[in-house]
Amino acid sequence: MVAQWAVCGWCGCSAGSLSADMISSLQVHRGLYQNGFAACSSGLADPSLEGEILGPLLPAQSLMCAIAKGLGKQRSGKVPVLPRETSLPSQECRWYDPVFPTQNGKVAIVTGGAKGIGYQTVKHLARLGMHVVIAGNSESEGQKAVRKIKEETLTGKVEFLYCDLASMKSIRQFVQRFRAKNCPLHVLVNNAGVMLVPERKTEDGFEEHFGLNYLGHFLLTNLLLDMLKQSGTHSHNARIITVSSATHYVGKLHLNDLQSRCSYSPHGAYAQSKLALVLFTYRLQHLLTANGSHVTANVVDPGVVNTELYKHVFWVVKVVKWMTAWLCFKTPEEGASTTIYAAVSPEMEGAGGCYLYNEERTKSADIAYDEELQRRLWTESCKMVGISDETSRLH
C-alpha cells in the first residue's frame, strides 16, 4: 500500500510516494498522518481548502513532499487560515495553535515548567491570559524561564516557586507558600519527571522514578485538591492534567516491591512510575465523581519528544537520537499540545478519567482499568506520603 501522488495545495510541490510503513512510522512519532494531511517542506495543506494550514510543519531537511491517503481537517480544532499568497520560510518548522478561549483570571501550576514540555505549556497558558506558577527544583532555571516567557508573551503572568518533588517536605512547603498568595487554583499540570536514571533514592528513601514521578505528584495533588474544588464550578471545572507516557503500556506495578529493591531496572522503574500515574488519575476521577466535585482529572501521553530526559540513555542511543530527532521526535512545543488541549479546550469541559494522545481520547493499558489495583495503589500511596485515605480527604 502506497500513498497516492498529488500536489500540495500550499506551494504546488508534487508529492512523492511514501510506503505505508513510512507513513505508519511518522504517524506514531509525529502524528502528522492521523487524518491524512497533505505535507510538504513548506507545511501541511489541503488543496480543497484554499491553502488552509492544518497543523505542525515538517522540517525541510531531506523530506520530500508527501500526501497520505485522503485529506481532512486536523482533530485538534480550529486553526488560523492563511491566504494562499502568504509566503512561509521553507527551512523552518513551525507550530500553529488551535484557537482556545482566553483564560483571564485563571491560575495554573505547572511542575517542571522551566524546561522542555513544561516550559512550552507554561508559555502557551500565559499567552491565553492565565496566571501560571512554575514549580521547579532550580531557582536559576526557573527565574530564567520566567524572564524569557515574559519577554516572549509580553503580557504573560508567570512566576516561579521552588518545589523539589523528590522531597515530601519541599512539596508541603511549596503548598504553604502557594496558599499564602490567597489566589484560586484552576489548573494543575503534573508534568515534571526523570527518566532512566541510575539506581538512587529520594530524600525520603524512595526509588527516584517512583518517588519523584509518581509519589511527589500524588502528594502535591492531594494537598492542593481542596483549592481546586473551591475554584471549580458546574460550568467551568477545575482541571488536573498528569503527564504519563506510552511506556506505561509495558509497565508492571509491583505492589510488594514498589521501590524496585529486589531487581532494579531503569526501564522497569520508569515504566512502573508512568503506569502508576495512569492508575492514580483513574482512581482520582472516580473519587471526584463520587463526591460531586467540580474537578476533572485526565492523563496525557505527549508522544516521543526531543527533551533533556534522554540524557541518561546509552551513548549509542544518544547518537541515533541526534541523527533522527528531526524526523522521529516531536519538538517540546508539539509535545505540549495535548497537555494544553486538556487544560483549556472547551471539548474537555466536564470530561475526566481520559487518556489523551494527540488531542484525542484513546485506550490506555488494560491493567490501568483494574479498579482493585487502583484502590490498592491509592491506599498504599497515602501511607507512603503520610496522608489520610480518600474517605476523609475528598469529602
Side-chain angles (χ1 to χ4, degrees):
M1 177 179 168
V2 176
Q4 65 191 52
W5 283 80
V7 175
C8 174
W10 181 258
C11 68
C13 296
S14 62
S17 57
L18 289 183
S19 66
D21 288 342
M22 183 65 172
I23 290 174
S24 176
S25 176
L26 288 173
Q27 185 178 34
V28 168
H29 292 296
R30 298 188 67 84
L32 296 179
Y33 291 93
Q34 292 282 353
N35 282 307
F37 299 128
C40 74
S41 61
S42 295
L44 301 178
D46 184 339
S48 67
L49 297 176
E50 295 299 319
E52 180 174 348
I53 292 296
L54 296 178
L57 307 188
L58 283 169
Q61 300 102 313
S62 74
L63 260 191
M64 293 179 65
C65 186
I67 290 186
K69 295 184 67 177
L71 293 170
K73 286 192 175 182
Q74 189 181 23
R75 63 201 167 282
S76 58
K78 299 178 180 178
V79 291
V81 177
L82 302 179
R84 182 177 290 275
E85 63 271 14
T86 300
S87 61
L88 290 175
S90 61
Q91 298 299 315
E92 293 185 10
C93 178
R94 295 189 177 185
W95 179 264
Y96 289 88
D97 299 318
V99 177
F100 291 129
T102 58
Q103 304 293 311
N104 296 325
K106 291 189 176 182
V107 180
I109 293 175
V110 179
T111 66
K115 297 185 294 185
I117 295 174
Y119 174 86
Q120 295 298 333
T121 301
V122 173
K123 183 173 70 173
H124 283 262
L125 294 181
R127 279 179 174 168
L128 290 171
M130 196 174 284
H131 177 183
V132 189
V133 176
I134 296 175
N137 61 359
S138 172
E139 183 79 28
S140 60
E141 288 182 353
Q143 295 299 347
K144 179 181 178 181
V146 168
R147 290 192 298 270
K148 188 175 179 181
I149 291 173
K150 286 184 175 180
E151 291 174 359
E152 293 181 2
T153 61
L154 298 181
T155 59
K157 299 177 181 178
V158 187
E159 62 178 304
F160 173 83
L161 284 180
Y162 184 85
C163 180
D164 182 0
L165 287 166
S167 166
M168 301 295 116
K169 178 181 178 181
S170 178
I171 294 169
R172 293 178 183 277
Q173 291 174 338
F174 168 84
V175 173
Q176 290 178 348
R177 288 193 295 270
F178 181 77
R179 286 181 180 277
K181 294 181 175 294
N182 294 317
C183 64
L185 178 61
H186 302 90
V187 175
L188 171 62
V189 179
N190 294 321
N191 166 81
V194 293
M195 185 175 77
L196 307 183
V197 297
E199 185 174 10
R200 58 194 187 198
K201 299 185 184 301
T202 67
E203 178 181 296
D204 303 282
F206 301 123
E207 186 278 317
E208 188 167 358
H209 289 100
F210 193 79
L212 191 155
N213 293 357
Y214 170 66
L215 285 178
H217 285 121
F218 178 87
L219 177 60
L220 179 66
T221 301
N222 274 277
L223 295 180
L224 293 171
L225 202 52
D226 59 338
M227 298 186 70
L228 287 158
K229 290 166 62 178
Q230 292 168 12
S231 300
T233 65
H234 177 72
S235 58
H236 293 90
N237 282 217
R239 305 185 186 189
I240 301 168
I241 299 94
T242 298
V243 180
S244 182
S245 163
T247 310
H248 91 275
Y249 286 104
V250 297
K252 294 182 180 180
L253 194 76
H254 302 284
L255 279 172
N256 296 324
D257 187 25
L258 292 173
Q259 305 307 317
S260 302
R261 293 190 179 98
C262 294
S263 177
Y264 180 78
S265 160
H267 294 85
Y270 176 69
Q272 177 179 244
S273 71
K274 291 302 182 178
L275 174 59
L277 288 171
V278 182
L279 289 159
F280 154 66
T281 299
Y282 291 167
R283 179 61 178 170
L284 176 58
Q285 183 59 55
H286 171 78
L287 296 168
L288 291 168
T289 301
N291 287 278
S293 302
H294 298 307
V295 183
T296 60
N298 292 296
V299 60
V300 305
D301 174 3
V304 183
V305 185
N306 188 11
T307 69
E308 292 184 9
L309 280 178
Y310 290 88
K311 63 184 178 182
H312 294 291
V313 300
F314 190 55
W315 71 268
V316 174
V317 178
K318 290 182 180 180
V319 172
V320 173
K321 171 180 173 288
W322 176 79
M323 295 174 63
T324 63
W326 65 274
L327 174 62
C328 299
F329 287 68
K330 292 182 179 181
T331 65
E333 190 169 16
E334 291 166 348
S337 65
T338 303
T339 301
I340 298 164
Y341 173 82
V344 300
S345 173
E347 295 177 12
M348 293 303 297
E349 181 55 52
C354 303
Y355 185 86
L356 302 170
Y357 173 66
N358 281 348
E359 298 92 51
E360 284 189 338
R361 304 179 200 190
T362 188
K363 189 175 181 294
S364 61
D366 290 338
I367 191 66
Y369 299 104
D370 185 332
E371 294 184 2
E372 177 62 17
L373 186 60
Q374 295 169 13
R375 185 192 64 77
R376 292 176 64 190
L377 174 63
W378 183 285
T379 299
E380 185 64 25
S381 300
C382 287
K383 295 177 182 177
M384 296 173 82
V385 301
I387 60 175
S388 56
D389 209 336
E390 74 275 3
T391 51
S392 60
R393 295 203 60 80
L394 295 177
H395 282 291

